[in-house]
Amino acid sequence: MEFPDWWYDDARQVGLDFEDAAQVASYDLRQGRSSADDRALLTRLSLGPDMAMADIGCGTGMLVCEAAAMCRSAVGVDISATMLAAASSRAGKLGLENVVWRRGGFLSFLAAELSFDLVTSKNALHHLPDFWKALAFTRIRAALKPGGRFYLRDVMFAEPPDRLDEAVEAWFDWLAANTGYSRAEAASHIREEHTTFTWVIERMLTDSGFRIIEHTQDGVYGAFVAERVK
């Protein structure tokens, strides 16, 4: 696929460098992720044995590998070659043969139209500015079959703009108490990456041809389950 000359380079470095081996090695622990949690999520999303799924921003591949054990085929997409190497190693150790890895991002992954029953993305969309988030949603919608679902989880603020100072500082305190991320790393996220508001994501999804089935908010972490309308 050939992109126009004004297209955004979604492989550009934003925030933490996930080509760095130390960042990749500590990623799962710092994210607080577990295979059991991912398996429960995929079950709740009704992933079945005849389905195909993709995870964009797959990181070390934990979610994709859980999906591959439950469905016909799975694709992990990430801009980091180091992350994909870790993901591939995980799949190899689990003996999974129905999962493939693709280097790319929301705006550069290549997928045939109507090819997936489920697309997921956790904690990756904030690498894109808002204009490009909306275009990413249109690409995901095109890749889904009618009735296919998109699960999105990311940092997104539900507070109004005049309360952001309080919300950001509360998040920094939570990160310090519950993860390995320092205040400097968290401040860099807010300053240099592209976290947005929950209401912005909601409008983008509906304007991109999705019907929102579910929205949950846990502090600054918002999650949407959305369905391709037609």
Side-chain angles (χ1 to χ4, degrees):
M1 179 177 179
E2 189 170 326
F3 297 103
D5 57 1
W6 50 267
W7 203 249
Y8 186 81
D9 177 12
D10 63 359
R12 69 175 62 191
Q13 174 61 39
V14 177
L16 298 177
D17 181 7
F18 287 120
E19 291 290 4
D20 179 75
Q23 288 285 353
V24 174
S26 64
Y27 182 76
D28 290 338
L29 181 62
R30 296 173 111 191
Q31 291 290 314
R33 301 173 65 177
S34 76
S35 297
D37 290 341
D38 285 341
R39 188 161 54 251
L41 170 64
L42 294 165
T43 298
R44 186 166 63 81
L45 293 171
S46 301
L47 185 66
D50 296 326
M51 293 183 176
M53 71 83 68
D55 185 41
I56 305 176
C58 68
T60 60
M62 185 181 295
L63 176 66
V64 183
C65 287
E66 287 301 318
M70 299 170 64
C71 68
R72 173 172 52 83
S73 63
V75 179
V77 180
D78 205 283
I79 63 170
S80 167
T82 309
M83 282 288 196
L84 291 176
S88 179
S89 175
R90 183 193 298 273
K93 291 175 182 177
L94 293 171
L96 297 169
E97 298 181 351
N98 61 334
V99 57
V100 296
W101 310 101
R102 297 284 182 262
R103 192 172 186 185
F106 290 95
L107 301 170
S108 55
F109 79 94
L110 300 179
E113 291 191 10
L114 312 178
S115 55
F116 296 114
D117 300 280
L118 174 68
V119 173
T120 59
S121 182
K122 295 172 67 175
N123 304 326
L125 187 70
H126 60 263
H127 290 126
L128 291 181
D130 280 5
F131 178 89
W132 296 101
K133 289 183 178 74
L135 292 178
F137 290 165
T138 66
R139 301 189 77 236
I140 291 168
R141 180 190 175 278
L144 282 167
K145 300 173 184 177
R149 290 187 172 185
F150 174 39
Y151 173 80
L152 172 68
R153 181 188 188 274
D154 210 326
V155 178
M156 54 185 83
F157 288 93
E159 291 79 6
D162 63 355
R163 289 180 53 199
L164 277 183
D165 287 356
E166 176 185 345
V168 168
E169 291 296 334
W171 184 46
F172 288 179
D173 291 342
W174 183 89
L175 287 172
N178 294 278
T179 76
Y181 289 109
S182 67
R183 180 184 175 88
E185 289 171 323
S188 174
H189 175 106
I190 296 296
R191 186 177 60 246
E192 299 172 15
E193 302 183 46
H194 306 287
T195 286
T196 191
F197 295 96
T198 300
W199 51 268
V200 173
I201 296 295
E202 182 175 6
R203 174 68 185 271
M204 286 181 182
L205 286 167
T206 56
D207 281 11
S208 298
F210 285 100
R211 178 174 66 90
I212 294 173
I213 297 173
E214 176 184 299
H215 166 238
T216 57
Q217 194 79 30
D218 181 13
V220 303
Y221 295 96
F224 285 93
V225 180
E227 181 179 84
R228 174 175 170 155
V229 176
K230 60 180 180 178

